[in-house]
Amino acid sequence: MTWTYPLSARVGQGPELLGGKAHGLLTLRRLGLPVPAGFVVTTEACRAFLDEGRFPDGARTEIAAAVTALEAETGRRFGDPHDPLTVSVRSGAAVSMPGMMTTILNLGLPTTDPGGREGRLDGLYRAISEVFSSWDTPRARTYRAVHGVPHDLGTAVTVQAMMLGDRDARSGSGVAFTHDPNTGEHVPFGEVLFGSQGDAVVSGTALTSPLRDLAHREPTVWADLVAALDSVAEHHRDACYVEFTYESGRLWMLQLRPARLVGAAAVRVAVDLAEAGVLSRAAALLRVSPQHLRHARTARAVLPDGRPPLARGVGACPGVAVGRVVTSADRAVSMAARGPVVLFRPETSPSDMRGLAASAGIVTARGGPASHAAVVARSMGTPAVVGVGDLTVGPDGIRVGDRPVPEGVLVTVDGTGGELVLGRTRVASGEGSPQLGRLLEWADEVAGSPGEGSCPGTPRDADTEEARLHAAHTALRGQGRAPTRVRRHPGR
């Protein structure tokens, strides 16, 4: 049994063994993109560890050998007092579970540990053990239950040389989407934090800048990042999400995974790719789930004339939610049993997962569109607003500027426009996009239905549209999935 593999383009194993994170890094390497050196400890090692309470036989020896190879590749020594090799130790299950498990950064900094290199390796073994054990934390189990992820998969652990976003004035970190996650438009979208490590970006604890600010600050890094985004989108034939660091003006790619867009954004990406000849119409139809259509006509909160919103932030997941204010995850769970709640937090963390899952809406004072709150909200389709600058969250309620709002007060959250409204307000369903209309036409062609809802004045509700797409899925799966690349259809 092999327990570790290098992050080498020659490694051919899949995400079930290496985890989604390492699998994405190997894809980046095969595309010729810059990835820090490292190795991965497999999901099989995790399952054995969780079953036996210890590393399986031979795993420690393989990890030590992998560290030696990493030292040779980087030219640095683990724990060296002058120029140490420092590493990140990150989880990576076959199915992405953003922020749900432990991450350890900067392991290997010099210490006075009398155990020497062996003592420092013991620190790495402990770190890997901690990540393995985090697979079974309550927050991770809650996330898997919400998303239907099996509990017996286990997580791989990726160990990589650290690239320092806080090394100097020409360093930083960020996250980027190949497509706008709110609209599906094919433009780079994300956040960057200058002079800082990436954990502050994804946690939502720091004030970030829009990704495009990088173009002015570091034009070479920006150009390399845009080229990388184009490369991964072309490879996957889908919208993608990446994490990156740049150190002293040099770009490094740290993560790649599908963007998992929802609602109107998912529809636009699928239809645009089909019309560009990248996907077949059949593949585009199968890319969009019927549930996505529930949010494809984006709902908006309608403010009464002359009435300003309570507050504004950044819309992180489209849709409208109405519920009572709650400021802790535990109270969100208990109050949700008596009706919908909206969870307010300074920023969210994995420990909030039960409350996030129980809430109809999510609002944070800090963070941007790639923060933990935003990513988790999109994965669940929960309307969310982040980065509400004048919001203060207390133990018994919230304050917007000088205005207090106690727990239990009803509020409306508009996750499209980023607005918060006191009380319940009228909700208007937006018009469907041209891409939605074309997707439904294709669905009707496949299913052989008469195309109800395609003409003015006929029903266009979500249930009807879901049924049309579901009928197309049934027909396509009955025929066997069509090839991904097919002929173009002029005029459509």
Side-chain angles (χ1 to χ4, degrees):
M1 182 72 72
T2 300
W3 304 114
T4 68
Y5 291 87
L7 291 179
S8 164
R10 297 185 300 273
V11 173
Q13 282 73 11
E16 294 77 14
L17 180 66
L18 304 180
K21 180 175 180 62
H23 188 257
L25 293 171
L26 293 176
T27 299
L28 291 168
R29 283 214 157 181
R30 292 188 193 106
L31 293 173
L33 298 172
V35 175
F39 62 92
V40 58
V41 188
T42 68
T43 57
E44 287 181 337
C46 175
R47 291 192 291 269
F49 177 91
L50 295 175
D51 286 345
E52 302 170 16
R54 62 178 181 84
F55 282 109
D57 293 343
R60 285 176 177 257
T61 301
E62 286 192 30
I63 293 168
V67 170
T68 299
L70 185 55
E71 290 174 329
E73 186 172 353
T74 60
R76 294 177 175 178
R77 298 278 296 171
F78 200 51
D80 184 281
H82 304 294
D83 188 22
L85 167 65
T86 58
V87 298
S88 61
V89 184
R90 300 178 187 268
S91 64
V95 178
S96 178
M97 296 172 52
M100 292 301 119
M101 290 178 283
T102 297
T103 292
I104 298 166
L105 303 179
N106 295 317
L107 188 70
L109 289 172
T111 68
T112 57
D113 187 342
R117 185 174 187 276
E118 186 58 44
R120 291 187 287 275
L121 281 175
D122 284 342
L124 178 59
Y125 299 144
R126 286 193 296 273
I128 295 170
S129 299
E130 187 176 343
V131 178
F132 279 163
S133 297
S134 70
W135 173 259
D136 267 340
T137 57
R139 63 178 183 258
R141 296 189 71 86
T142 297
Y143 184 92
R144 293 197 295 273
V146 168
H147 293 278
V149 178
H151 291 301
D152 59 356
L153 296 181
T155 181
V157 174
T158 301
V159 179
Q160 276 184 288
M162 286 288 298
M163 297 298 153
L164 304 179
D166 56 358
R167 178 175 286 278
D168 54 34
R170 297 198 59 208
S171 302
S173 301
V175 298
F177 294 86
T178 59
H179 298 64
D180 185 322
N182 295 313
T183 67
E185 182 183 3
H186 191 184
V187 292
F189 183 95
E191 304 168 75
V192 64
L193 191 58
F194 300 113
S196 186
Q197 296 283 64
D199 55 322
V201 180
V202 297
S203 67
T205 58
L207 181 63
T208 58
S209 299
L211 183 65
R212 283 194 171 273
D213 286 3
L214 184 61
H216 307 292
R217 181 112 167 210
E218 289 289 341
T220 300
V221 174
W222 169 255
D224 289 346
L225 177 62
V226 170
L229 292 174
D230 288 342
S231 181
V232 299
E234 181 180 1
H235 174 80
H236 278 290
R237 303 194 293 275
D238 200 358
C240 296
Y241 165 92
V242 303
E243 296 177 10
F244 66 91
T245 284
Y246 64 98
E247 180 182 278
S248 302
R250 183 180 179 186
L251 176 70
W252 294 94
M253 307 299 288
L254 305 181
Q255 176 140 314
L256 166 65
R257 61 170 172 78
R260 294 193 299 273
L261 305 187
V262 298
V267 170
R268 177 169 181 173
V269 170
V271 171
D272 285 355
L273 288 172
E275 294 191 323
V278 176
L279 296 179
S280 69
R281 289 184 178 185
L285 285 165
L286 291 168
R287 283 274 181 94
V288 180
S289 75
Q291 289 74 23
H292 283 154
L293 299 192
R294 288 245 161 231
H295 303 287
R297 297 182 184 276
T298 306
R300 294 295 309 270
V302 179
L303 294 172
D305 290 342
R307 177 181 169 188
L310 174 65
R312 284 190 173 92
V314 178
C317 184
V320 175
V322 180
R324 300 192 180 279
V325 172
V326 63
T327 62
S328 79
D330 287 342
R331 283 197 295 281
V333 173
S334 60
M335 287 177 62
R338 301 188 297 275
V341 299
V342 174
L343 177 62
F344 286 76
R345 300 291 295 147
E347 70 274 335
T348 65
S349 72
S351 62
D352 293 316
M353 188 59 219
R354 290 178 66 246
L356 294 169
S359 298
I362 300 165
V363 181
T364 64
R366 295 189 284 271
S371 64
H372 178 267
V375 172
V376 172
R378 279 194 295 271
S379 74
M380 298 189 299
T382 303
V385 176
V386 298
V388 183
D390 52 355
L391 172 66
T392 303
V393 181
D396 302 311
I398 62 172
R399 181 178 292 273
V400 179
D402 294 329
R403 184 172 189 171
V405 181
E407 272 200 340
V409 170
L410 198 69
V411 294
T412 300
V413 177
D414 184 336
T416 306
E419 295 176 334
L420 309 179
V421 183
L422 273 179
R424 184 188 300 273
T425 189
R426 186 167 67 85
V427 177
S429 179
E431 287 297 312
S433 66
Q435 289 87 356
L436 174 60
R438 289 195 288 279
L439 185 84
L440 291 171
E441 287 179 10
W442 300 347
D444 294 339
E445 291 172 5
V446 167
S449 61
E452 69 268 39
S454 60
C455 299
T458 56
R460 298 186 305 175
D461 61 86
D463 289 337
T464 300
E465 293 172 347
E466 283 186 61
R468 292 163 68 186
L469 183 57
H470 179 74
H473 283 194
T474 301
L476 288 169
R477 288 173 176 139
Q479 300 164 8
R481 183 165 181 161
T484 301
R485 300 178 184 272
V486 296
R487 64 191 184 281
R488 296 178 183 270
H489 298 266
R492 288 291 179 95

